[in-house]
Amino acid sequence: MGLREEKKLATRAALSWSAIRLIVQRGYDKVLVEDIAAEAGVSPRTFNNYFGSKAEAVASRHLDRCRRMAEVLRERPAGEPLWDSITHAAIEVFKPGPEVTAHPRPDRDAWAAGLQLMLTVPAIQAEFLRAAATAESALADAVAARTGTDAAKDLYPNLVAAAVLAAQNVVSQSFLSNRTSMQALMTNALRQISEGLPPPE
């Protein structure tokens, strides 16, 4: 990846994170595109070059994380068991980037409450559904490449991708009321899926 492409990805990530932070703090209707752009240190025109709406900016974080998971999965050693590779990829993408670490850690309870409220906004819900469809396709293609299957015809890569994204959704909800890290929760969730989801003892 060239320097220009890296800069574009960094700007996209910064805009998405700024949108989330401001909406969590103030509420969806009280945040303007101009506010998000200023928070990220760019112009509103730059925002519009990346996103068509505030909701798209919020949902893009989920989409970009899933696309990155698919990329990391493709890069894992060929002989590594599939679910080990998926777990490594999931842990990698949940590491906070510089757009996150550059800001003070928010109060966890207030942050969780704000996120839950943000996720009830119909426009954001719609964008998340659209992002999820794109993300599932990208992940299914990566699984197919590792398993010698065809995502256009075979159930297996699509079932795996759907299961991984379902786990990510459950983990994200659990994280809001759990003191465990996202990485630990995702590792646990994927382990249970890979073992066939045996009933708890």
Side-chain angles (χ1 to χ4, degrees):
M1 183 186 302
L3 183 61
R4 182 179 180 184
E5 186 63 24
E6 288 182 359
K7 185 176 180 180
K8 287 174 66 177
L9 290 176
T11 300
R12 178 180 169 87
L15 283 166
S16 180
W17 182 242
S18 294
I20 293 169
R21 288 180 64 248
L22 291 176
I23 290 170
V24 165
Q25 291 170 1
R26 305 179 190 174
Y28 185 77
D29 292 332
K30 294 181 180 179
V31 175
L32 303 175
V33 165
E34 289 80 2
D35 300 327
I36 298 169
E39 179 79 1
V42 299
S43 68
R45 181 177 180 180
T46 297
F47 177 95
N48 292 326
N49 287 338
Y50 285 87
F51 303 115
S53 68
K54 298 179 293 183
E56 184 183 350
V58 170
S60 76
R61 190 161 189 82
H62 172 64
L63 175 57
D64 292 349
R65 180 182 288 138
C66 292
R67 283 175 169 163
R68 177 60 183 151
M69 189 187 303
E71 291 174 2
V72 175
L73 180 57
R74 290 177 182 273
E75 295 166 358
R76 297 299 303 174
E80 186 174 57
L82 176 65
W83 286 99
D84 288 350
S85 296
I86 290 173
T87 301
H88 282 294
I91 292 172
E92 177 66 26
V93 301
F94 276 114
K95 293 178 180 177
E99 73 281 359
V100 176
T101 57
H103 296 90
R105 183 182 296 272
D107 176 79
R108 186 181 178 90
D109 292 337
W111 180 254
L115 279 176
Q116 288 175 327
L117 187 59
M118 181 186 75
L119 294 174
T120 66
V121 175
I124 291 177
Q125 291 176 338
E127 286 295 340
F128 263 95
L129 287 174
R130 184 161 61 175
T134 302
E136 188 171 315
S137 177
L139 191 55
D141 286 341
V143 172
R146 287 192 66 86
T147 58
T149 55
D150 186 344
K153 297 186 298 184
D154 298 324
L155 287 175
Y156 185 77
N158 294 287
L159 286 171
V160 171
V164 172
L165 292 185
Q168 185 173 336
N169 290 337
V170 171
V171 163
S172 296
Q173 288 298 321
S174 179
F175 177 73
L176 296 179
S177 58
N178 196 308
R179 297 292 174 177
T180 307
S181 70
M182 289 286 284
Q183 291 94 331
L185 288 169
M186 195 67 180
T187 299
N188 185 14
L190 294 175
R191 177 187 58 77
Q192 292 189 52
I193 291 173
S194 68
E195 292 175 354
L197 288 176
E201 295 181 359

